[in-house]
Amino acid sequence: MSRTPSASAHEKVLEAAIQLIGEHGIDGTSMDAIARLSGVSKATVYNHWKDKHALCLEVVRKLRTAPPEFHSGDPRRDLLSLLNHAAKANKPSRLLKILPRIIGYAAANPKFAREFRALSLGPTETQLHRIVTEAISKGELSPNTDPEIATSLLFGPILHRKIMGGKVPPGLPEQVLDGFWRNWGANHSK
C-alpha cells in the first residue's frame, strides 16, 4: 500500500529533521533547511507542525521505544522486571546520535525540557507509578509511600548509570528494589 502524499511528506520532513539535528543541533537547524532537505514546501512543513519545537518532539516520539507492560499481579516482581528492562534496554542508534543535541537544547528551554521528559521517560515513569500504587493498595508497601518519590528512588539510580556510564552494573536493579522495599515495605517499622 502506498503512502498518501501528505503521509509521505510528513515522513520526509521527519527524516530531514533527524539528519539536520544530528549534524547541527536543534538551534542550528532551521525549518527552511528542513524543508529544503526534505524537498517539501515550507508551507507543508508548517501545516504539519506549528514550530520547530513541535517537530523536534515528534522526532523523539518517532525514535523512542516504550517499555513492555508488566502485569503479573505481583507488584514487586513487576517492579523488578521493569527496572531490569530499563537497565538492559538500548536506545535506538538514531536516537542516541541526536540525544546529546536534544538534551543540550532542553537544558536551555524549560518548556521543551518538560515535554521531552514526559515523552522520553513518561512511559517508564507512568508504569512505575502504577505498580507502586498497586503495591500500596495491596498492602505490600506502606500507605505513606508517595508514588512520585518512589518512582524517582527506583528509577533514578538506573537512569543515572545509563546517562553517565552507558552501562548498568549487573544486579543494580535488584539492589535498588531491595533497598527501597526495606525502607518502604509494609512490614518495615518506622
Side-chain angles (χ1 to χ4, degrees), residues 55-68:
L55 174 56
C56 290
L57 289 171
E58 184 154 347
V59 163
V60 173
R61 188 177 296 110
K62 173 183 172 62
L63 296 178
R64 73 163 169 79
T65 55

Side-chain angles (χ1 to χ4, degrees), residues 73-113:
D74 178 347
R76 187 178 171 124
R77 181 182 329 146
D78 290 344
L79 285 171
L80 184 56
S81 296
L82 181 57
L83 294 174
N84 274 317
H85 174 79
K88 293 175 186 168
N90 291 320
K91 298 274 185 208
S93 61
R94 295 175 74 204
L95 180 58
L96 286 175
K97 181 179 178 188
I98 65 171
L99 198 55
R101 303 232 187 226
I102 292 171
I103 290 171
Y105 181 78
N109 296 280
K111 181 178 184 243
F112 179 84

Side-chain angles (χ1 to χ4, degrees), residues 134-166:
E134 179 184 342
I136 295 166
S137 71
K138 287 184 167 193
E140 295 179 25
L141 289 175
S142 165
N144 298 325
T145 304
D146 180 326
E148 296 295 324
I149 293 172
T151 296
S152 295
L153 291 170
L154 290 164
F155 193 38
I158 292 163
L159 185 60
H160 172 76
R161 291 304 293 255
K162 287 189 79 108
I163 289 171
M164 299 310 289

